[in-house]
Every structure is written in structure tokens, then in C-alpha cells.
Amino acid sequence: MAKEVWKPGNFIYPVPAVLVSCQDAEGRKNLFTAAWTGTVCTNPPMAYISVRPERYSYHMIRETGVFVINLTTEAMARAVDFCGVKSGRDVDKWKETGLTPGKASVVEAPVVTESPVNVECQVTEIKELGSHHMFLAQVKAILIEGSLMDEGGRFCFEKAGPLAYSHGSYCGLTKAVGSFGYSIRKKTTKAEKKQKKSRRNPG
């Protein structure tokens, strides 16, 4: 089937559906939903969010230079949607969603307690791109829900039921179809699997 040609636009899906939490210099807290977010650098660890200047939280972040990216789950989908369509100018989103503001470990901004991962960020640069301004930020700390760690120390985010956004819909991401490097990993034969099992269970 022939492909259709569409006008230029943002069509890289799925994207994260995160809650960004922040506060102003007087301590007034807010949170909003963001999909334009991601990783930009490993060393130093850096992330970004892109925000419309007219959003209520924009000036909070610009004023304080800090914010928290809170990863979300399927169980949080209704709250995520609410925080994306309602403004903090009109409602107390914390109260309306039942989400709990917690204390961050480094930055002066609240974390969403119900979120399994809170990424504390400090702004290093603001790029005024057009409809959105990009806040480039260094990751100062990460808070992880301890119950998502397995016995081997691996972080198992899939257990939380991570949430993503794709072209107007919220989607779950619970089924893994592979792991990093699996395409070139040597396949284990039945004999090798049996040998490994016997080593784990001697006698």
C-alpha cells in the first residue's frame, strides 16, 4: 500500500507521558503533564522538557530553575490526563487527582509520591524554539520505588505498568519483546541450559 504524505509535524510516537512537578519562590506547588521530554546526554546526565510559555508552570520553572520529571503508570492514567487538560490557575491539581507532593532529595521542587521514579532536574539552559521553550537540565538525583528492584539489583519498571502517549491515546507498556543486546547474544543450547540449572541446584 502506498504511503500518504502529511505536512510536517510532531509524529514520533510513542513518547513518555510524565508528570512534571514544580513550585514557585513562595512555595506554591503545581504539576502538569508533558510528553515532549527525554534524555539528551549520559555524562553529565541530562534531560529536557519542552513547555509552552503560556502554561501556568512555565514561569515557576523559569523562576526557580528546577523541576522534577515523574514517570507514570497505567494506574495513574486518569490523573495524568487531568493534569494535561486542567490549568493550575483554576484548580489545585494535587487535591483534585489525589496525588501527594513529597520532598525531593536535592532540588527545591515537590515529587509525586505515587510515581515509581522521580527525576530531579536543575535547568542549565533555556532554548526559546517557537511554540515551546526547551528547558535543558542536569539530573541531580533519582528516587526509585524500592519494590521494583529484583533480587539481583535490576530495576524492573515493567512491574509498575509504565504509561506512554501515542497520537492522542494513553498506552500501557508491559510486554517486553527483547532486551538490550539480545539480537547478537549467543543462543544457549538445551544442554547448556541444563548444565546451568544443575549448577544452581547441586545435589
Side-chain angles (χ1 to χ4, degrees):
M1 183 180 292
K3 292 187 176 181
E4 298 181 15
V5 178
W6 287 17
K7 67 179 181 180
N10 295 316
F11 215 83
I12 301 174
Y13 292 114
V15 290
V18 305
L19 287 172
V20 177
S21 49
C22 55
Q23 67 183 38
D24 63 17
E26 284 70 47
R28 286 185 291 266
K29 300 175 176 60
N30 193 47
L31 70 165
F32 64 97
T33 303
W36 308 150
T37 182
T39 299
V40 291
C41 188
T42 299
N43 188 20
M46 295 187 70
Y48 82 93
I49 55 172
S50 287
V51 186
R52 290 181 181 274
E54 59 267 27
R55 294 195 76 162
Y56 181 63
S57 294
Y58 174 87
H59 294 286
M60 292 185 176
I61 297 172
R62 185 142 196 159
E63 178 181 292
T64 62
V66 295
F67 60 90
V68 179
I69 298 173
N70 305 275
L71 302 192
T72 62
T73 67
E74 292 179 33
M76 299 170 67
R78 183 171 291 276
V80 170
D81 184 63
F82 185 90
C83 291
V85 297
K86 290 291 186 178
S87 172
R89 294 186 182 94
D90 306 318
V91 297
D92 182 340
K93 297 184 190 180
W94 299 96
K95 181 180 179 180
E96 294 296 326
T97 60
L99 295 175
T100 311
K103 185 174 175 56
S105 64
V106 175
V107 303
E108 289 297 323
V111 303
V112 177
T113 302
E114 291 78 7
S115 170
V117 180
N118 316 101
V119 183
E120 301 180 29
C121 300
Q122 182 169 23
V123 178
T124 59
E125 186 178 353
I126 303 172
K127 291 184 173 292
E128 299 183 3
L129 302 173
S131 64
H132 290 67
H133 292 182
M134 178 189 289
F135 290 96
L136 285 171
Q138 186 167 347
V139 176
K140 306 303 289 186
I142 298 176
L143 303 180
I144 300 290
E145 172 59 50
S147 64
L148 297 179
M149 302 298 294
D150 68 13
E151 294 179 355
R154 186 179 76 88
F155 176 57
C156 305
F157 191 28
E158 65 276 9
K159 291 181 180 179
L163 188 69
Y165 180 78
S166 183
H167 197 48
S169 298
Y170 300 100
C171 309
L173 298 172
T174 55
K175 182 181 178 182
V177 296
S179 59
F180 181 76
Y182 86 105
S183 63
I184 59 172
R185 194 174 297 132
K186 180 183 175 183
K187 292 184 178 180
T188 305
T189 65
K190 289 183 179 180
E192 288 173 330
K193 287 180 180 178
K194 187 176 181 181
Q195 188 177 32
K196 286 182 180 180
K197 188 175 181 181
S198 65
R199 288 173 183 168
R200 290 196 299 266
N201 304 293

